[in-house]
Amino acid sequence: MQKPLSCRRQGGIPLARAFAVFLAAFLLLFWGCAPEPKGPALTLAPLPYAMDALAPVMSAQTLELHYGKHHAGYVTKANALIEKSRFKQKSVEEILVATRGKKKHEALFNNTAQAWNHAFFWGCLTPRGDARPTGLLAGAINKEFGGWKGFRAAFIDAATTQFGSGWVWLVSEDTKLRIITSANADTPIAQGLTPLFTIDLWEHAYYLDFHNKRKAYVEGLFDGLANWKAVEERYQHH
Ligand SMILES: [Fe+2]
């Protein structure tokens, strides 16, 4: 005789419970595999030193304005522009490569590049910036510039002859060192170069402390605040 249909099998689990287990497993699998929701593309990371730690070359007042207003402003504007663009799922580096030189993406590029440049710049500085490169980077500097003196002179000359706002960079192209400048927000990360070190040449970086004496600011930063240890590590691992 045929057994009547039942929602409960002898010795099994109720169908409702089986369905709940199946649903939980499905959701777990689905959410586990789904891409994590992306937060803002850029964040304003805390500085690795106190606001007054870089004085007198960079006073607390300059750093508070530079980091707290200028850098923060670039991050906010860049995130707003990225959010409403087709680049939402791209990395910051991909966005910079895709938008550099494109008139219709000018504001997005400028704010994103400035956010990236400033984050990189803070990492180039340390209150204990009196050490010089050693090892591989020292060898490369000797090879390319004939020694520390030649490198320092070339870097400071590039910084002081850059017309208007911009940045001076030590970059690596393959393993070859180069000193370049970039105007306004432009950045070597969008040009296939590896940035190793930079100094911000915008007036907001030095005008409160040095007025129009850009060379004194660059020399003070290069000789007293540059984090050559971090530059060395970047060069060794790029
Ligand atoms: Fe700046």
Side-chain angles (χ1 to χ4, degrees), residues 85-203:
S85 77
R86 61 184 169 89
F87 303 108
K88 266 198 294 189
Q89 299 299 322
K90 301 287 185 189
S91 71
V92 171
E93 287 78 7
E94 287 171 332
I95 292 171
L96 292 172
V97 169
T99 57
R100 183 173 184 260
K102 308 272 172 56
K103 190 70 186 167
K104 69 175 180 176
H105 297 309
E106 193 173 25
L108 192 154
F109 175 84
N110 284 340
N111 283 285
T112 306
Q114 282 294 80
W116 192 95
N117 289 347
H118 281 87
F120 185 81
F121 177 50
W122 306 132
C124 289
L125 306 180
T126 172
R128 299 166 302 283
D130 51 358
R132 290 184 184 179
T134 55
L136 278 181
L137 181 60
I141 286 172
N142 288 339
K143 183 180 169 192
E144 201 62 42
F145 304 103
W148 184 255
K149 197 174 165 186
F151 167 57
R152 182 183 182 279
F155 195 88
I156 290 169
D157 182 61
T160 51
T161 54
Q162 163 65 25
F163 186 78
S165 296
W167 301 79
V168 58
W169 305 84
L170 175 67
V171 300
S172 174
E173 189 169 21
D174 299 325
T175 56
K176 188 178 164 66
L177 294 180
R178 287 174 56 198
I179 294 169
I180 63 167
T181 57
S182 64
N184 300 318
D186 204 6
T187 179
I189 199 76
Q191 304 171 48
L193 301 168
T194 304
L196 299 173
F197 177 68
T198 191
I199 295 182
D200 188 340
L201 302 177
W202 286 58
E203 285 186 347

Side-chain angles (χ1 to χ4, degrees), residues 31-54:
W31 289 112
C33 295
E36 288 195 6
K38 285 196 102 178
L42 292 149
T43 54
L44 187 69
L47 290 175
Y49 30 72
M51 285 290 172
D52 61 354
L54 306 181

Side-chain angles (χ1 to χ4, degrees), residues 66-88:
H66 197 172
Y67 168 79
K69 300 295 180 188
H70 292 277
H71 185 183
Y74 295 130
V75 169
T76 302
K77 286 176 198 162
N79 280 333
L81 290 165
I82 291 168
E83 182 59 30
K84 59 184 182 187
S85 77
R86 61 184 169 89
F87 303 108
K88 266 198 294 189

